[in-house]
Amino acid sequence: MVNENANGATDVLALVDDLFFQARLAETARKLGVKLKTVSTGATLVKMLEPAPDEVPGDLPRLVIVDLNARQGAVEAIEQLQRSGNPIPVIGFLSHVQTELAERARAAGCKQVMPRSSFTANLPEILSQAKS
């Protein structure tokens, strides 16, 4: 799922495997003029953030969002990004009762971990911060 903006660069890259939540993210991004790309696996997220030889720094997203409950390696992807020196801030969201997973995500390099309800309530503000 991709929302286009004038400069062609992606503002936000999101690892979300829930189709309903992908649609919600996409609709909010579209309304705000934020270019969003979603992926459904941690491996795809990491691959999309590997710099291509001809890539300029402005082509990288400004924010990475990770559903920490994604079934395909969410925390592992964050760990890989951290090891590779990824400079892009990562925001993760999860159920408010998953304190162990929240700590794992923080230790892996997640800049901010939020309960899903708080993330959803603040989604327009979060996406707006990444707008080119």
Side-chain angles (χ1 to χ4, degrees):
M1 204 171 279
V2 178
N3 289 339
E4 298 295 331
N5 67 15
N7 67 4
T10 298
D11 297 319
V12 178
L13 179 60
L15 167 57
V16 179
D17 62 3
D18 176 328
L19 294 177
F20 291 110
F21 204 72
Q22 278 183 5
R24 183 177 198 159
L25 274 172
E27 180 61 18
T28 304
R30 185 191 64 73
K31 286 179 180 177
L32 296 169
V34 173
K35 184 174 180 190
L36 169 77
K37 285 188 182 180
T38 59
V39 297
S40 58
T41 69
T44 305
L45 177 77
V46 170
K47 184 173 179 149
M48 291 197 67
L49 292 174
E50 289 175 353
D54 60 344
E55 191 166 49
V56 294
D59 289 343
L60 292 173
R62 294 175 179 227
L63 177 66
V64 173
I65 294 172
V66 177
D67 178 350
L68 295 167
N69 289 303
R71 294 178 290 276
Q72 298 288 324
V75 174
E76 294 80 3
I78 296 168
E79 290 169 341
Q80 246 184 304
L81 293 174
Q82 180 73 11
R83 283 193 302 270
S84 71
N86 172 55
I88 304 164
V90 178
I91 296 177
F93 64 91
L94 70 171
S95 169
H96 71 280
V97 297
Q98 295 178 294
T99 55
E100 284 183 32
L101 181 57
E103 287 307 313
R104 259 187 79 205
R106 284 187 191 96
C110 206
K111 175 186 169 192
Q112 187 175 6
V113 178
M114 307 173 74
R116 186 179 187 111
S117 58
S118 178
F119 177 80
T120 302
N122 294 300
L123 185 57
E125 292 82 15
I126 292 167
L127 293 178
S128 291
Q129 292 174 14
K131 190 173 179 180
S132 298

